[in-house]
Amino acid sequence: MDQAAAFLGVETSLTGRRWVGPGGETTRASEALHQQTGLPMAVCAVLARRGVDAAGAEAYLAPALRDLLPDPRSLRDMEKAAARFLAAVKTRQRIAIFADYDVDGGSSAALLLIWLRQMGREATLYVPDRIDEGYGPNDEAMADLAARHDLIVCVDCGTLSHGPIAAAKGADVIVLDHHLGGETLPDCLAVVNPNRQDEDGELAHLCAAAVVFLMLVEAGRQLREAQVKGPDLMSLLDLVALATVADVAPLIGVNRAFVRQGLKVMARRDRIGLAALADVARMDTTPAAYHLGFMLGPRINAGGRVGKADLGARLLATEDPHEAAALSERLDVLNTERREVETAVRAAALAQAEERGTDGALVWAAGAGWHPGVVGIVASRLKEATGRPAVVIGLDEGIGKGSGRSVSGVDLGACIQKLAMQGVLLKGGGHKMAAGLTVAEENVEDAMAQLSALLEKQGAHLRGPSDLRLEGLLMPGGASVELTEAVESAGPFGAGSPAPRYVFADMRIFSARRVGESHLKLSFGDGHGARLDAICFGAYDSAIGPALEAHGGAHFHLAGRLDINTWQGRQTVQLRLEDAARA
């Protein structure tokens, strides 16, 4: 078994994790890869950790859509969904797009709006208000859209919306989604979803925008068969990449190609909405997966969280530079508001959860007036702090709207969906790692007890902070731009494919200061003249910030991933610090 003792003897770091370095088997595999391919050792270590051999190294390092793109027709209902969509385009029928209010929903809607525009058609965009309407289609909105349209396409939602879809009388409905399906599907023309119960699960890792993209691939195929030229789909990959990363879809298989190719498209800055948002976010380097998840994604999500729900989709689809600039500025302001709201809810939720206890299978908190737009982010913070699945619920007028986040190996979405089917919850569904729910206020305690019992059967109560897997040691002098670029060639990195983390052992802290609300900026070195700068986001949400700021001359082991900073044309390496331990 490829298992090593605690790396550098760190059994409990400042974040409560055990450090685990590469085992002997992984080290031998990376050395063999180096000999067989001539690739840098740092790259070979990443490939070996992921089980890539010499024969597969070249394809892994250059993921190509032509090799990895699945046949769209492998998904049920795909052929007829594309055919009905094209029929509406050809006969100039009235089309409505009903989209979820997050990045995946906004990107999915933008894909369709842009494609239709390039075909000389327009569509009505409808994004429900998170507070007034909640997630997914509702009876009133669907009935109203059906009265004025011939075709409604639901993106990133709809799989569990039996009633609302039935209310769409007189219009055909197509669902393009990826949320977990129930035992029955809504009665509509097509439900294209890799997470339907009658699918084989081979494409379960796709986000909704990827499903929409596959439908456009199938539409392109049908257009070619009719000897009609369709829009350029490769130019749309920036939207698929954005949604894949922001929706925390695992970066495996075709998702790696979507993100790698999409980042190249994004670097051209042809999408004026994304270019304007990147400028507002002061993104001055070549886009990477990190920027999608932590700089662009949160701002696009801010509209659905604390503002007007359709702002993100409108920004992504616009071709008007003035509208792009105005929407970007508004989303940036809303994101600042979102952070302030989140900070208050997070403090209250953490205090409540700690008082209730964090040793069970579920950590949860509920509070009156907690904004539904931030409960998901706060649930993520609780999960990270405790190593347990977490649910946070905002209560208002007798109804609780909540969001949950899970840990690897524990299927939260299926448990919440089961409770919804049993009537314990008013609504509920999602994915393995993230789910949403609606519950009557008087049933919150009982519902959370039942959810905890279901999660306990999956062993959630046995989990704590996960081990921190590390690639090995580096010295500040060896952390070069060349090494960092070589490691990045094995990306993209994100969910399901974490960036390699390195340890700088026995480091002296030269300076450490708090920046922003809870971040830490520091400079460290090895005592031999070489220094490196580091940034630790959210450092004061754990013991890292206080310990390193008040280091008192003590030495520390510092663990994190390498980034390249570009300032006035000059490139330097920075450590994005994730954990630390006393040396």
Side-chain angles (χ1 to χ4, degrees):
M1 183 177 177
D2 199 18
Q3 171 69 44
F7 195 65
L8 295 178
V10 178
E11 293 286 352
T12 306
S13 69
L14 290 178
T15 63
R17 291 185 284 187
R18 179 176 182 268
W19 287 7
V20 179
E25 187 177 322
T26 301
T27 301
R28 288 189 293 274
S30 63
E31 290 171 350
L33 263 176
H34 177 60
Q35 292 173 357
Q36 293 165 344
T37 65
L39 291 166
M41 274 298 298
V43 176
C44 292
V46 177
L47 298 181
R49 176 85 83 176
R50 284 153 177 72
V52 179
D53 60 16
E58 184 178 353
Y60 187 90
L61 292 173
L65 275 178
R66 66 175 177 273
D67 300 325
L68 296 169
L69 190 72
D71 183 348
R73 294 181 185 181
S74 65
L75 289 172
R76 296 178 185 272
D77 286 358
M78 178 64 86
E79 205 168 346
K80 63 179 178 181
R84 179 65 186 89
F85 181 67
L86 287 176
V89 173
K90 183 177 181 181
T91 59
R92 293 185 175 275
Q93 290 185 329
R94 299 164 300 173
I95 301 171
I97 299 166
F98 192 110
D100 187 21
Y101 35 60
D102 68 359
V103 176
D104 195 13
S107 299
S108 298
L111 283 167
L112 293 178
L113 291 168
I114 293 165
W115 190 94
L116 286 167
R117 193 180 299 138
Q118 291 178 7
M119 293 291 287
R121 303 288 184 269
E122 295 293 331
T124 300
L125 171 66
Y126 190 95
V127 184
D129 183 89
R130 183 189 289 263
I131 295 176
D132 294 340
E133 297 174 87
Y135 167 79
N138 59 79
D139 291 10
E140 183 179 348
M142 291 295 282
D144 180 59
L145 288 173
R148 299 180 289 112
H149 297 85
D150 306 293
L151 175 65
I152 303 172
V153 184
C154 297
V155 293
D156 199 25
C157 59
T159 300
L160 298 175
S161 304
H162 297 66
I165 286 176
K169 299 190 186 324
D172 285 333
V173 177
I174 293 171
V175 172
L176 304 175
D177 194 11
H178 70 136
H179 292 91
L180 290 173
E183 293 181 6
T184 61
L185 294 171
D187 183 13
C188 60
L189 187 132
V191 178
V192 184
N193 184 338
N195 286 298
R196 281 172 50 155
Q197 289 199 10
D198 55 355
E199 289 285 7
D200 61 14
E202 287 293 311
L203 299 177
H205 53 284
L206 297 182
C207 68
V211 176
V212 171
F213 183 81
L214 287 181
M215 192 203 72
L216 296 178
V217 171
E218 173 59 24
R221 175 192 281 170
Q222 294 184 22
L223 284 174
R224 285 193 302 276
E225 290 171 354
Q227 297 186 323
V228 176
K229 181 176 174 57
D232 172 25
L233 297 184
M234 296 299 284
S235 67
L236 301 175
L237 286 173
D238 54 343
L239 296 173
V240 183
L242 173 66
T244 297
V245 174
D247 218 55
V248 203
L251 298 185
I252 58 176
V254 70
N255 283 351
R256 294 189 67 245
F258 280 144
V259 174
R260 181 72 75 87
Q261 300 304 319
L263 287 170
K264 291 179 182 177
V265 174
M266 193 177 294
R268 301 201 301 255
R269 292 175 59 90
D270 293 337
R271 186 90 48 225
I272 60 172
L274 278 177
L277 192 64
D279 291 342
V280 163
R282 295 177 292 282
M283 226 181 85
D284 56 359
T285 58
T286 302
Y290 170 80
H291 300 115
L292 308 190
F294 293 95
M295 296 182 77
L296 301 180
R299 286 172 169 81
I300 294 167
N301 266 332
R305 294 192 188 282
V306 296
K308 194 168 184 299
D310 65 355
L311 294 178
R314 285 169 52 201
L315 173 74
L316 296 175
T318 189
E319 292 182 347
D320 180 346
H322 299 294
E323 183 182 34
L327 289 173
S328 295
E329 292 285 354
R330 188 171 175 191
L331 286 169
D332 192 52
V333 171
L334 287 171
N335 191 49
T336 300
E337 290 179 18
R338 185 270 306 168
R339 279 199 294 261
E340 293 169 354
V341 173
E342 176 199 334
T343 299
V345 174
R346 182 175 62 193
L350 188 57
Q352 185 186 127
E354 288 176 343
E355 186 176 341
R356 184 175 289 112
T358 59
D359 295 330
L362 173 70
V363 174
W364 68 275
W370 289 358
H371 199 296
V374 303
V375 292
I377 304 174
V378 175
S380 291
R381 302 290 185 261
L382 287 187
K383 179 205 77 169
E384 292 162 3
T386 62
R388 300 281 199 277
V391 171
V392 177
I393 301 168
L395 303 171
D396 184 45
E397 296 183 354
I399 296 294
K401 293 182 179 179
S403 192
R405 298 293 184 268
S406 194
V407 294
S408 180
V410 177
D411 190 340
L412 178 64
C415 294
I416 284 179
Q417 191 168 305
K418 182 175 183 178
L419 293 180
M421 290 172 63
Q422 292 173 349
V424 177
L425 301 173
L426 299 175
K427 286 171 63 177
H431 321 286
K432 290 181 179 179
M433 299 297 287
L437 60 88
T438 304
V439 60
E441 183 172 353
E442 64 266 22
N443 294 338
V444 169
E445 291 274 355
D446 178 57
M448 292 302 97
Q450 292 196 47
L451 179 58
S452 182
L454 289 175
L455 293 170
E456 188 168 326
K457 291 178 181 178
Q458 297 186 46
H461 62 300
L462 303 175
R463 296 167 184 266
S466 58
D467 289 347
L468 188 70
R469 299 190 68 85
L470 303 160
E471 295 297 335
L473 292 170
L474 271 182
M475 297 295 283
S480 64
V481 170
E482 292 75 21
L483 172 72
T484 307
E485 289 177 337
V487 170
E488 287 294 328
S489 72
F493 301 117
S497 183
R501 301 180 186 93
Y502 299 96
V503 177
F504 295 83
D506 196 25
M507 291 292 118
R508 177 185 171 192
I509 309 296
F510 292 110
S511 67
R513 60 185 175 86
R514 190 170 188 151
V515 293
E517 292 177 7
S518 61
H519 313 315
L520 180 73
K521 183 87 174 168
L522 66 151
S523 174
F524 65 90
D526 54 12
H528 299 293
R531 291 193 182 195
L532 202 62
D533 289 334
I535 182 75
C536 183
F537 296 109
Y540 291 86
D541 296 333
S542 72
I544 294 179
L548 294 184
E549 186 179 17
H551 58 84
H555 285 211
F556 287 83
H557 304 315
L558 304 173
R561 62 168 294 180
L562 302 177
D563 281 334
I564 294 177
N565 264 344
T566 303
W567 175 250
Q568 295 182 337
R570 180 171 173 264
Q571 290 186 317
T572 57
V573 175
Q574 173 181 265
L575 177 69
R576 194 186 313 157
L577 186 69
E578 295 182 39
D579 203 358
R582 296 184 185 278

